[in-house]
Amino acid sequence: MRFVPMLLATALVLVVAAAAVLLLRACGIRVPFTSYVISICADDRTQHTAAQLAVLEEERDALRRDVSQMERALAMTQCEAASPPRKPDSPNLLPPPEPEPERDQASQPDLPSDPQSLDRETFENRDIAVLEGCWDLDSSYSGRNIATGQITDYNRWLMCFDASGRGTQTMQGTDGSTCQGPTEGRFDDQGRLIIDDGAPLPCSNGARFFRRVITCQLDGMGRAACMSEQPFDARGGSSPVGLRRAGER
């Protein structure tokens, strides 16, 4: 008699286990004594879509990381002036002409100034108002990106000054970039005209030019013969520059 309850308990456990097997599925519950299953799992199409979405999210995160790295690298790039290639000197086929004898400065006639350039009298008086107005700078100027080595040509360089020598400058590159910033003119102790950026010149493509100093002197016709240099860059760099009033040829 003692074994009867134990047998009954064992039988009850087996019956409950069998019912659970019949009722439960991996992704659903089947209604007893019917073929109807209550599904609680996503179908194959939903699972495939979810997997594709997860892959796309991983690719998006990777692209964001790449863009962030490129933005940081671009922000750290700088440009330096790339001097135009020097043409080989032409051979001297004739002996050089003999120098003319020096004449007294007072006996030399006053040469007219080129209307496209700086006024001679104002320049010789070291009056910085000589720069007042807008000027085109003629130069085969180009910039090299230190990080990538890419060279961009700048076919327009414009400076505008007020009577006190304070001004702005704009450079336009062949790649569509624009570089803008302040500049200022002054005369040094030797009577040379100095045009100084004062700071690196930023460009719209994230690059910038090292600070440049332009030194100008007048030739016999009052034309400005200038040289642009980068004295604050250890690599140096210089190029000749012509100065003429904007809009005049």
Side-chain angles (χ1 to χ4, degrees):
M1 295 298 292
R2 183 179 300 176
F3 294 102
V4 173
M6 295 179 61
L7 291 174
L8 291 175
T10 302
L12 180 60
V13 170
L14 294 175
V15 170
V16 171
V21 170
L22 293 174
L23 290 175
L24 299 178
R25 291 292 185 269
C27 292
I29 302 176
R30 193 178 75 177
V31 178
F33 309 109
T34 68
S35 61
Y36 181 72
V37 176
I38 300 174
S39 177
I40 60 174
C41 294
D43 55 18
D44 293 340
R45 183 177 180 181
T46 302
Q47 293 178 355
H48 180 67
T49 301
Q52 286 183 324
L53 181 60
V55 172
L56 291 175
E57 289 178 347
E58 291 180 358
E59 293 178 351
R60 179 199 61 192
D61 294 339
L63 289 174
R64 285 179 175 175
R65 290 191 295 270
D66 292 342
V67 169
S68 179
Q69 292 177 357
M70 289 188 287
E71 287 178 345
R72 289 195 296 268
L74 184 60
M76 297 176 63
T77 60
Q78 299 189 68
C79 286
E80 64 173 352
S83 301
R86 183 178 178 180
K87 297 181 180 180
D89 296 333
S90 302
N92 292 325
L93 301 179
L94 297 175
E98 295 182 359
E100 296 181 0
E102 295 185 0
R103 293 183 297 175
D104 183 35
Q105 182 70 23
S107 64
Q108 295 183 7
D110 292 334
L111 297 175
S113 296
D114 186 342
Q116 296 182 1
S117 189
L118 301 166
D119 180 74
R120 173 179 294 277
E121 182 178 357
T122 308
F123 187 98
E124 291 177 349
N125 289 333
R126 302 185 183 183
D127 185 355
I128 198 60
V130 71
L131 273 179
E132 186 175 8
C134 292
W135 302 83
D136 278 322
L137 282 76
D138 296 325
S139 173
S140 55
Y141 208 84
S142 60
R144 183 176 69 237
N145 189 302
I146 296 177
T148 64
Q150 180 179 358
I151 295 179
T152 301
D153 295 327
Y154 290 84
N155 52 12
R156 181 74 191 277
W157 190 1
L158 179 68
M159 289 186 177
C160 293
F161 297 88
D162 61 15
S164 64
R166 289 188 294 269
T168 60
Q169 61 177 317
T170 302
M171 299 184 70
Q172 295 178 351
T174 54
D175 63 348
S177 62
T178 301
C179 310
Q180 292 180 317
T183 188
E184 186 170 1
R186 58 180 173 82
F187 283 96
D188 65 5
D189 296 337
Q190 302 177 31
R192 299 177 302 179
L193 176 63
I194 307 298
I195 302 176
D196 192 342
D197 286 352
L201 182 67
C203 300
S204 59
N205 58 6
R208 61 178 181 172
F209 284 100
F210 286 105
R211 176 182 174 184
R212 293 161 301 184
V213 177
I214 301 175
T215 304
C216 299
Q217 292 179 325
L218 291 184
D219 62 11
M221 292 298 294
R223 292 184 295 256
C226 307
M227 182 65 68
S228 174
E229 299 178 314
Q230 292 179 313
F232 303 97
D233 177 19
R235 287 172 292 271
S238 62
S239 62
V241 177
L243 192 68
R244 59 181 172 80
R245 290 206 175 272
E248 298 180 355
R249 294 288 178 183

